[in-house]
């Protein structure tokens, strides 16, 4: 091998290296941009706050006592839904929300890790004992959605689900006027 | 090339790469701690530090105002006491003496002849919880209320230890005839199998052992849970199930566990 040959192949190697470096930088830029766009426009924002709560005392006081669960109207016109997941049911079993309204789901677990998923929507979060999960949603159509537990939580897991009923806003408001917490548990 | 030259700001390569790294660091910090948190229309930060701390994941205590407090007593029994899982012989002995006042209904050996629950071999946490709830008023019963009113925590722990120590009555039923609702629940109606909490498949602390309980007792309790007359089940865990049970299922469950089927 002559020294000219060597120099020529070094030039080629450098070109290839540069090309691969460019490709990997493009991949990094693409993935970052994708995450940013998804985070801003596809409403897959991670929860803004980490909130902790004592899972052994949620039923005794605070916002997750059973009489405070269900849907509540906030002063700004939005609705907050509070729920508890436990082996093997959600309380309340049937959640009532108005259509075309900002709905904030706040839920936690009383025992093990559960999951809260509302079918046909992008509401999907884990319920971890000790933490409050919060997710904001807006339902554009009236109808019923299943809300199954999406984390295997032991042998009775298949029986753990609730119902989310999206109803007309006026109907919801008239129901909420008589009671301060609304649900569709019979 | 000597190393001092290499790591000096006069080295164009060094200063450029450090500069670039700093720019990337700062812009990602601004993006992650400020731009993205504020881009969320529903974020409600009290200021720039609040947003930064939240993005960094510092936990905040959950707070909510205007909570609707229950008008009834909620079960406040703590079931994690070590004495309930490993009682001392003294505790069991003291429980045996105290249990004499319970024998009229619950039987001298914890096996009732009067449709009161059989307590022999019941989980200690269950006896403790129910006594605690009778005393606090979370569970109401004309007979048990006055008994529990005079007990202190020590008495309750000792009674629980004694009854948990007694042998369970042997099951007389044919295991081949398990009703569907007991064996597999009704997942399409949100009902898990009974045994996934009550001990035969898995045990959830605070759920009673049901085998051998009088049918009339089980049926009555399921109806109380369904109607909301009884609500000392934490977070409605039993009311949710009882409401979904049909009349026939309640009867099938009761006679199965009583062993009369
Ligand atoms: Cu679950």
């Amino acid at each position: 091998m002559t020294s000219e040959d060597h120099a020529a192949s070094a030039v080629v190697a450098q070109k290839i290296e540069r090309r691969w470096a460019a490709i990997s930088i493009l991949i990094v830029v693409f993935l970052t941009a994708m995450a940013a766009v998804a985070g801003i426009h596809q409403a897959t924002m991670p929860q803004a706050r980490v909130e902790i709560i004592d899972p052994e005392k949620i039923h005794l006081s605070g916002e997750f006592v059973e009489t405070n669960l269900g849907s509540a109207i906030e002063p700004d016109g939005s609705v907050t839904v509070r729920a508890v997941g436990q082996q093997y049911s959600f309380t309340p079993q049937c959640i009532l929300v108005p259509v075309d309204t900002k709905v904030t789901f706040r839920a936690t677990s009383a025992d093990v890790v559960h999951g809260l998923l509302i079918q046909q929507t992008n509401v999907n979060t884990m319920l971890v004992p000790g933490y409050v999960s919060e997710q904001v949603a807006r339902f554009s159509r009236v109808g019923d959605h299943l809300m199954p537990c999406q984390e295997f939580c032991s042998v009775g897991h298949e029986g753990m689900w609730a119902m989310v009923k999206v109803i007309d806003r006026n109907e919801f408001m008239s129901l909420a006027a008589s009671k301060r917490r609304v649900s569709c548990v019979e | 090339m000597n190393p001092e030259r290499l790591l000096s700001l006069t080295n164009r390569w060094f200063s450029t790469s450090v500069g670039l790294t700093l720019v990337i660091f700062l812009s990602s910090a601004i993006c992650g701690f400020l731009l993205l948190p504020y881009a969320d229309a529903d974020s409600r930060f009290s200021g720039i530090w609040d947003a930064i701390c939240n993005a960094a994941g510092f936990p905040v205590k959950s707070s909510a105002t205007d909570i609707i407090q229950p008008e009834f007593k909620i079960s406040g029994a703590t079931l994690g006491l070590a004495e309930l899982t490993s009682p001392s012989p003294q505790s069991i002995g003291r429980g045996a003496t105290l249990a004499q006042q319970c024998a009229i209904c619950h039987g001298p050996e914890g096996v009732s002849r009067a449709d009161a629950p059989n307590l022999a071999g019941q989980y200690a946490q269950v006896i403790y919880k129910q006594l605690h709830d009778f005393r606090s008023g979370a569970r109401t019963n004309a007979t048990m209320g006055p008994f529990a009113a005079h007990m202190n925590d020590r008495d309750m722990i000792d009674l629980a230890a004694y009854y948990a120590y007694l042998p369970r009555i042997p099951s007389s039923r044919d295991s081949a005839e398990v009703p569907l609702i007991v064996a597999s629940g009704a997942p399409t109606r949100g009902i898990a199998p009974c045994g996934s909490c009550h001990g035969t498949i898995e045990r959830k602390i605070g759920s009673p052992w049901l085998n051998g309980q009088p049918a009339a007792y089980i049926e009555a309790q399921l109806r109380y849970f369904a109607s909301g007359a009884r609500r000392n089940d934490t977070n409605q865990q039993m009311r949710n199930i009882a409401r979904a049970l049909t009349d026939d299922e309640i009867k099938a469950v009761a006679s199965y566990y009583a062993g009369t089927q």
Side-chain angles (χ1 to χ4, degrees), chain B residues 99-121:
Chain B
Q100 284 171 355
Q101 58 180 318
C102 319
I104 320 148
C105 296
H106 293 287
E109 295 291 307
V111 180
S112 172
R113 297 184 204 99
D115 278 351
N118 297 321
L119 303 178

Side-chain angles (χ1 to χ4, degrees), chain A residues 114 149 151 153 157 160:
Chain A
H114 297 281
C149 172
E151 286 280 341
C153 56
H157 168 67
M160 180 169 177

Side-chain angles (χ1 to χ4, degrees), chain A residues 85-90 111-115 148-154 156-158 160-161:
Chain A
Q86 71 212 320
Q87 288 169 323
Y88 298 97
S89 61
F90 289 101
D111 38 45
V112 299
V113 176
H114 297 281
C149 172
Q150 43 80 316
E151 286 280 341
F152 180 76
C153 56
S154 196
H157 168 67
E158 73 280 4
M160 180 169 177
W161 54 271

Side-chain angles (χ1 to χ4, degrees), chain A residues 35-36 39-40 45-54 56 58-69 82 84-93 102 104 106 110-111 131-132 134 136 153-161 180-181 185-186, chain B residues 36-37 39-46 50 54-55 57-72 74-78 184 186-193 195-197 201-202 204 231 233-237 239-241 243-244:
Chain A
I40 294 167
M45 284 293 284
Q47 191 169 331
R49 285 161 194 271
V50 177
E51 286 183 59
I52 54 176
I53 194 164
D54 183 351
E56 290 184 8
I58 54 169
H59 62 288
L60 294 176
S61 63
E63 62 175 310
F64 292 105
V65 295
E66 60 171 274
T67 41
N68 197 48
L69 300 177
R82 290 189 178 82
V84 169
Q86 71 212 320
Q87 288 169 323
Y88 298 97
S89 61
F90 289 101
T91 304
Q93 280 276 278
K102 178 186 152 192
T104 308
R106 286 177 64 75
D111 38 45
Y131 295 88
V132 178
E134 187 178 288
V136 177
C153 56
S154 196
V155 283
H157 168 67
E158 73 280 4
M160 180 169 177
W161 54 271
R180 286 161 70 206
R181 295 291 179 273
V185 176
E186 95 267 18
Chain B
L36 283 175
D40 180 3
D42 300 311
S43 60
R44 26 170 215 276
F45 301 119
S46 59
D50 191 28
N54 274 298
F58 284 104
V60 291
K61 268 275 179 205
S62 138
S63 67
T65 49
D66 187 32
I67 292 163
I68 300 188
Q69 298 296 348
E71 283 150 16
F72 53 93
I74 284 199
S75 173
T78 319
S184 44
T188 54
R189 283 183 287 135
I191 304 172
S196 54
C197 288
I201 307 173
E202 206 189 299
K204 193 170 159 81
R231 37 194 180 186
D233 54 327
T234 305
N235 302 320
Q236 303 204 28
Q237 55 191 343
R239 274 169 284 171
N240 284 339
I241 305 294
R243 271 196 304 264

Side-chain angles (χ1 to χ4, degrees), chain B residues 9 14-30:
Chain B
L9 284 177
F14 177 75
S15 50
T16 311
S17 50
V18 168
L20 268 177
T21 311
L22 275 178
V23 167
I24 292 174
F25 177 79
L26 282 176
S27 54
S28 43
I30 290 169

